[in-house]
Amino acid sequence: MASGCMYTTSHPSLCAPQSTSEKAKQIVGYKSVDDYVKSGMIVGLGTGSTAKYAVERLGQKLKSGELKNIIAIPTSEATKTQALSLGIPLATLNDHSVLDVTIDGADQIDKNFNMIKGGGGALLREKMVEVASKTFIVIADDSKLVRELGPGFPLPVEITPFCYEHTIRTVAGLPSLKGCRPVLRRGNVSNNKQDGNDIAITDNGNYIVDLHFDKKMSIKDALAANIELNNTVGVVEHGLFIQMASTVLVAHMADGSVSVLSPP
């Protein structure tokens, strides 16, 4: 079920000129911290263009004293760098195996709360941190809500460098993914734009193959695809996050309102 509200804040950075999409990301990122993070919590920090605003807001509230005794666990080296620049105390899963809450974005979300994540290349660390969290808050703008996963955003799969071409062929031939077009990610690992010639390397030293689906094809059975990918030797992790979210906050670009969605 969903409820809608107009979220406002007096923080000056929300009044700075921004694109509609960027403004929506900031609104929902700030709201997630304001509503779900309390003093004394262990907080997972997501990665990406929306999650960075949650990290920003957490830093602001720690600096102002509104939040205290926070320990945060980042899901990427990029997020770690941002958090350290903001003075956020950090730890790892080696220090804390259970988190109170993690806040992260998503690339696509279907009606069953199945998601594609990992466009930013941090899918392995994101999933490790998020499955260890008591509460997982997903933040996104309304363009990320889709009827079916696949068309419009490729599914990232992290694979070992060893015999990667073999693994790519194996993944592309899985029954639930048959017909997809696999593309080895090159250039900057934090996007799937093929903006360089060198193979992109994840924070974990692995490769990513992005599985593209045309408009007539989608991932019809995300649960089956999840199982098949999990059972494929050479696959380290994949970007299907199946019914993991506790709550999804959706910012509407048209008017800046935020809907709070609960699992079906």
Side-chain angles (χ1 to χ4, degrees):
M1 56 187 296
S3 61
C5 65
M6 180 69 74
Y7 181 68
T8 60
T9 176
S10 60
H11 194 275
S13 66
L14 276 176
C15 300
Q18 292 175 308
S19 69
T20 302
S21 174
E22 206 64 23
K23 180 76 170 181
K25 291 176 181 181
Q26 189 178 41
I27 287 172
V28 77
Y30 278 29
K31 179 174 174 60
S32 65
V33 174
D34 291 348
D35 290 1
Y36 294 96
V37 178
K38 310 299 179 187
S39 293
M41 281 186 166
I42 300 172
V43 181
L45 304 179
T47 295
S49 61
T50 306
K52 70 179 182 182
Y53 287 114
V55 179
E56 179 178 275
R57 185 61 163 170
L58 182 61
Q60 291 172 0
K61 300 193 80 169
L62 283 169
K63 185 177 182 179
S64 70
E66 293 176 76
L67 290 175
K68 298 178 180 179
N69 302 317
I70 293 290
I71 297 174
I73 297 179
T75 56
S76 67
E77 293 301 313
T79 298
K80 178 181 177 180
T81 298
Q82 182 192 9
L84 287 174
S85 73
L86 296 171
I88 300 173
L90 299 182
T92 73
L93 289 176
N94 285 336
D95 306 303
H96 303 278
S97 290
V98 179
L99 291 73
D100 294 295
V101 63
T102 291
I103 299 170
D104 202 0
D107 299 306
Q108 288 189 332
I109 308 167
D110 74 9
K111 63 181 180 180
N112 296 314
F113 270 33
N114 298 320
M115 298 179 290
I116 288 180
K117 287 176 44 58
L123 53 156
L124 172 60
R125 297 190 188 189
E126 287 174 344
K127 193 173 286 189
M128 289 182 69
V129 170
E130 286 150 14
V131 298
S133 303
K134 296 177 184 176
T135 302
F136 176 26
I137 305 300
V138 174
I139 52 178
D141 63 63
D142 52 6
S143 70
K144 305 301 176 65
L145 301 179
V146 298
R147 294 181 62 182
E148 295 181 317
L149 300 178
F153 200 93
L155 171 64
V157 180
E158 187 164 347
I159 61 176
T160 60
F162 176 73
C163 293
Y164 67 92
E165 292 176 326
H166 158 75
T167 303
I168 290 173
R169 288 193 297 270
T170 302
V171 167
L174 293 174
S176 63
L177 302 173
K178 191 172 182 180
C180 70
R181 179 171 59 88
V183 177
L184 183 65
R185 188 174 296 191
R186 295 180 182 273
N188 189 342
V189 74
S190 65
N191 67 66
N192 52 28
K193 305 304 181 185
Q194 299 295 95
D195 54 3
N197 295 321
D198 293 335
I199 297 174
I201 307 296
T202 70
D203 287 343
N204 315 298
N206 298 311
Y207 297 168
I208 291 179
V209 55
D210 291 299
L211 306 181
H212 293 253
F213 300 83
D214 63 31
K215 294 181 179 179
K216 297 180 180 179
M217 181 184 177
S218 63
I219 302 173
K220 299 298 184 183
D221 191 338
L223 296 177
N226 177 61
I227 293 171
E228 289 173 7
L229 286 167
N230 286 342
N231 290 336
T232 300
V233 177
V235 169
V236 179
E237 193 49 83
H238 57 83
L240 287 173
F241 286 56
I242 303 298
Q243 299 172 1
M244 288 176 53
S246 307
T247 299
V248 175
L249 303 184
V250 179
H252 299 279
M253 290 186 282
D255 60 8
S257 64
V258 176
S259 294
V260 181
L261 309 181
S262 302

